[in-house]
Amino acid sequence: MKIGIDLGTTNSLVSCYGEAGPRIIPNRLGENLTPSVVSIDEEGTVYVGRTAQERCVTHPETTATLFKRSMGTDKEFQLGNKTFRAEELSSFVLRALKEDAESFLGCPVTEAIISVPAYFNDIQRKATKKAGELAGLHVERIINEPTAAAIAYGLHDREEHTKFLIFDLGGGTFDISVLEKYGTIMEVRAIAGDNFIGGEDFTKVLYGMMLHKNNIKEEDLSQKELLRLLRQAEQCKLGFSKSNESAVKFTVGETTYETCFSLAEYEENCQLLLAKIRKPIERSLKDANVRLSDIDEIVLVGGATRLPVVRSFAARIFGRIPSADIDPDETVAVGAAIQCAMKERKEEVREIVLTEVCPFTLGTSVVTQRMGDLIEGGHFMPIIERNTVIPVSRTETFCTAANQQRKINVEILQGESRMAKNNLLLGEVTVPVPPRPAGEESIDVTYTYDINSILEVQVKVNSTGVSRKVIIQKEGSQLTEEEARRRMEELNYLKIHPRDQEENKLLLARGERLYEEATGELRQEIDFLISDFEAVLKKQDKGKIEQKAKEVKEALDEMERAMEEELLDF
Ligand code: AMP
């Protein structure tokens, strides 16, 4: 059985294609969204999702969030005395989702289609595949998030011929894509985006406003205070979905602050971020050679498009109300499930044909000769231009630049800058050439970009026939096979908290967080409630545990509601 996975910056989802079409698989808590948060306790047990999210405030030193933003980099996350790379943390999320799917479907799951932001580069895509492998999943296909969203809408949309624009703003990334649909053929015309804009940035704006309005300096905050404030800023941000005002109450040191923000002042503070969002939109339309007025439908995808600031911005620039017929949190996962069915060539989707594009330009660096003898190195030479339909294979021929040159070094670059050094170096390959006068030896460089958006480069020396194929590896950023095997064993040794006890663990983690957030008598009540629950858990009587868990949940719900109301009252 194949599953679709939307591995998000803030939340992840797992889906499948069943008898009744695509569907989201609920996690161990019966919820569709699993927060992409990982936490480890003193015994080395790994928590993923909501329980880990609760521990984010109480145990920030052993909890990691937003690691998707660091996929494919060398950044290491310190969780207690252990360190992890982003793909390793992602593999825990994938492991938990795989377990949830297996339990829901009642069969082993070994294959997955995972979505990534369209703007993920080659290294980030490989890191995502690696995360899947570490989780025991064969990643059949990496699919672009906006394409998955388009498939979900394409199947949904009854019109024969439409052009649509997908506006996908998640927790940490922003993707724009322009698509055209003719009957059952869906063509991605252009993709653009920014890997560093997302809902979290809108939270940070509010966090900045909380500090500014109360004359608090960030450097005076402890790490715990900072994380708590960010969490409260997130809650305050969500408040704008319900009202034109949102209040927040928070404590720094001994002082408690109470602040209320209007949507108008929040919107004003978001202008810089909104301006950043505008650029990729303009670029995608230009690349697709489509005018805004030609677009039939604008589709909003990603949790952050629920923010009124973002909705009104989208409505303003597109001059119409965007559609959000499918839950924006679930669209990508629904599309990934349909892609699974397409891969299995299921009857209902057999007719759908999808064409994708390469989201960025891939090329190499060259020496250029200008005005006579002036030779200048380091120029970027595109081989596959951005938004070329994939799969694609292009060959360019290059000659030696110096007399008696003995080797040619081919830099494999990705980016849009005129100068090679400003683009991302994906890898390099060097081939020997016979020493001869400049320009008399040549090589053929072939770039092949496959349907999973993974690049393969072949360099062939034309006179000798010597040929090298490159597996793109950025030096130092990837593990050797032996290291990877050892690391996998270490990771497998870490066990994810058992599914059946998850709800109880979540209650304990939530109780601990509420204890930290509460003051006075309420704290004692929580303390009593949690100790009592721990005592019942130790006795291992299933019936009693269930009864007690129900009571604890009700009590915590009541307390949290009271704490929120107190906040709204001021
Ligand atoms: P995603 O990665 O698609 O799950 O999007 C997560 C982002 O959506 C987070 O930054 C959330 O704060 C944001 N988000 C979710 N619901 C809302 C809402 N009702 N209002 C504003 N932002 C939201």
Side-chain angles (χ1 to χ4, degrees):
M1 184 83 187
K2 269 193 223 339
I3 51 170
I5 295 177
D6 170 5
L7 184 63
T9 313
T10 38
N11 291 301
S12 296
L13 294 94
V14 55
S15 58
C16 64
Y17 198 95
E19 306 250 297
R23 69 156 301 164
I24 307 292
I25 299 177
N27 66 16
R28 57 202 65 196
L29 296 167
E31 295 165 352
N32 287 355
L33 297 185
T34 298
S36 307
V37 183
V38 172
S39 187
I40 296 191
D41 71 9
E42 301 74 37
E43 279 102 50
T45 304
V46 179
Y47 297 92
V48 171
R50 268 232 286 156
T51 310
Q53 197 174 38
E54 293 288 1
R55 289 173 57 88
C56 189
V57 172
T58 53
H59 300 82
E61 63 295 336
T62 55
T63 306
T65 60
L66 304 180
F67 36 85
K68 179 173 163 182
R69 281 188 163 174
S70 307
M71 284 294 260
T73 69
D74 286 334
K75 177 168 171 173
E76 298 219 308
F77 292 78
Q78 184 86 32
L79 268 68
N81 56 9
K82 299 190 170 68
T83 55
F84 299 94
R85 294 163 61 91
E87 51 264 46
E88 295 173 340
L89 292 170
S90 296
S91 81
F92 290 130
V93 177
L94 294 172
R95 237 157 86 180
L97 296 176
K98 175 179 184 280
E99 281 179 12
D100 289 340
E102 286 175 339
S103 150
F104 181 81
L105 298 166
C107 62
V109 169
T110 49
E111 288 173 359
I113 289 182
I114 305 181
S115 63
V116 295
Y119 238 58
F120 251 26
N121 65 39
D122 201 72
I123 295 165
Q124 292 165 308
R125 282 166 200 266
K126 291 212 175 92
T128 306
K129 255 191 136 172
K130 182 66 166 275
E133 281 161 24
L134 288 173
L137 286 166
H138 170 64
V139 182
E140 277 251 337
R141 174 101 192 247
I142 294 279
I143 178 172
N144 288 325
E145 285 166 12
T147 307
I151 297 175
Y153 267 87
L155 206 72
H156 185 78
D157 182 38
R158 312 256 173 286
E159 293 276 323
E160 263 303 290
H161 182 191
T162 37
K163 283 200 186 77
F164 49 111
L165 185 142
I166 312 264
F167 182 108
D168 180 357
L169 190 65
T173 52
F174 175 53
D175 277 336
I176 275 286
S177 50
V178 178
L179 288 107
E180 194 160 0
K181 186 184 134 181
Y182 317 84
T184 53
I185 300 175
M186 307 224 330
E187 210 177 279
V188 180
R189 295 281 301 272
I191 293 177
D194 191 324
N195 272 347
F196 291 92
I197 307 178
E200 304 308 319
D201 300 292
F202 286 86
T203 305
K204 286 212 182 105
V205 168
L206 207 49
Y207 158 83
M209 289 166 72
M210 281 158 61
L211 298 188
H212 183 74
K213 215 168 190 171
N214 296 292
N215 286 321
I216 302 166
K217 291 199 184 71
E218 190 172 63
E219 51 272 29
D220 294 339
L221 301 177
S222 68
Q223 201 206 358
K224 267 196 174 186
E225 281 172 337
L226 189 148
L227 287 169
R228 191 167 307 134
L229 254 62
L230 276 173
R231 190 185 152 93
Q232 283 160 326
E234 164 83 14
Q235 287 303 317
C236 183
K237 179 183 82 171
L238 301 185
F240 285 123
S241 298
K242 296 181 210 122
S243 155
N244 281 344
E245 281 186 341
S246 193
V248 60
K249 182 176 171 183
F250 58 97
T251 307
V252 176
E254 299 289 298
T255 320
T256 298
Y257 300 87
E258 296 181 345
T259 312
C260 185
F261 297 106
S262 73
L263 183 57
E265 68 179 313
Y266 179 47
E267 192 156 10
E268 204 178 306
N269 280 274
C270 291
Q271 286 311 312
L272 259 180
L273 264 182
L274 294 172
K276 269 182 145 181
I277 287 182
R278 235 193 146 92
K279 279 198 191 130
I281 298 175
E282 285 162 2
R283 193 162 100 177
S284 65
L285 289 167
K286 200 167 141 276
D287 282 1
N289 204 9
V290 168
R291 276 190 312 242
L292 197 51
S293 55
D294 296 336
I295 299 280
D296 302 301
E297 211 177 332
I298 315 285
V299 176
L300 297 186
V301 179
T305 58
R306 289 218 166 91
L307 198 62
V309 172
V310 174
R311 281 186 174 244
S312 57
F313 168 78
R316 217 168 38 244
I317 56 168
F318 298 122
R320 78 196 76 178
I321 305 291
S323 0
D325 296 348
I326 308 179
D327 184 332
D329 287 323
E330 297 180 358
T331 320
V332 170
V334 166
I338 299 172
Q339 180 76 53
C340 290
M342 284 162 76
K343 207 81 197 156
E344 284 169 355
R345 300 198 56 75
K346 287 219 165 106
E347 186 77 41
E348 315 85 285
V349 294
R350 197 169 291 162
E351 302 287 292
I352 303 180
V353 178
L354 177 78
T355 67
E356 264 277 29
V357 293
C358 162
F360 24 64
T361 304
L362 296 160
T364 187
S365 65
V366 288
V367 167
T368 50
Q369 199 158 10
R370 288 189 299 143
M371 302 218 275
D373 291 344
L374 189 63
I375 289 182
E376 199 179 70
H379 281 251
F380 182 56
M381 159 98 181
I383 295 180
I384 297 176
E385 293 269 10
R386 71 166 184 258
N387 290 320
T388 303
V389 173
I390 57 171
V392 60
S393 191
R394 295 257 157 94
T395 303
E396 290 284 340
T397 305
F398 299 93
C399 296
T400 45
N403 288 330
Q404 310 306 314
Q405 188 172 335
R406 286 173 182 274
K407 55 187 182 187
I408 301 183
N409 183 43
V410 177
E411 283 186 332
I412 301 152
L413 298 160
Q414 173 195 311
E416 311 303 327
S417 175
R418 193 174 66 89
M419 299 312 291
K421 67 175 180 348
N422 298 333
N423 291 323
L424 178 71
L425 181 67
L426 297 174
E428 283 177 272
V429 62
T430 306
V431 284
V433 286
R436 298 191 46 200
E440 287 192 10
E441 276 297 321
S442 69
I443 54 167
D444 277 356
V445 178
T446 305
Y447 277 30
T448 306
Y449 199 68
D450 74 7
I451 198 76
N452 286 319
S453 306
I454 285 177
L455 177 69
E456 207 179 81
V457 174
Q458 182 163 25
V459 180
K460 191 170 132 233
V461 182
N462 290 324
S463 63
T464 61
V466 168
S467 167
R468 285 219 175 126
K469 205 177 236 171
V470 200
I471 301 155
I472 313 270
Q473 261 189 358
K474 210 178 153 207
E475 233 169 86
S477 72
Q478 270 167 17
L479 305 173
T480 64
E481 229 163 77
E482 173 57 23
E483 281 166 339
R485 197 189 49 75
R486 209 174 328 119
R487 193 67 187 137
M488 199 158 159
E489 276 170 15
E490 279 168 27
L491 290 181
N492 278 338
Y493 176 71
L494 289 168
K495 290 283 168 266
I496 295 193
H497 187 260
R499 282 174 51 83
D500 55 348
Q501 291 157 31
E502 185 71 21
E503 293 203 21
N504 298 337
K505 193 68 203 177
L506 172 64
L507 282 177
L508 291 176
R510 185 172 167 215
E512 274 188 48
R513 177 192 40 95
L514 286 175
Y515 179 89
E516 292 206 2
E517 283 172 6
T519 47
E521 277 178 29
L522 195 55
R523 277 198 140 172
Q524 283 174 18
E525 256 183 74
I526 299 171
D527 184 27
F528 180 73
L529 198 66
I530 295 300
S531 307
D532 198 25
F533 188 37
E534 279 173 337
V536 174
L537 283 175
K538 276 203 191 106
K539 291 198 189 121
Q540 300 190 347
D541 177 332
K542 204 164 168 252
K544 285 210 177 101
I545 292 176
E546 275 176 14
Q547 174 62 28
K548 193 76 202 167
K550 195 162 164 275
E551 280 171 35
V552 172
K553 180 167 184 315
E554 280 166 9
L556 292 180
D557 283 349
E558 183 59 36
M559 286 172 192
E560 193 149 21
R561 210 174 307 125
M563 283 161 74
E564 276 169 15
E565 271 167 19
E566 186 202 340
L567 177 61
L568 294 174
D569 277 351
F570 79 88

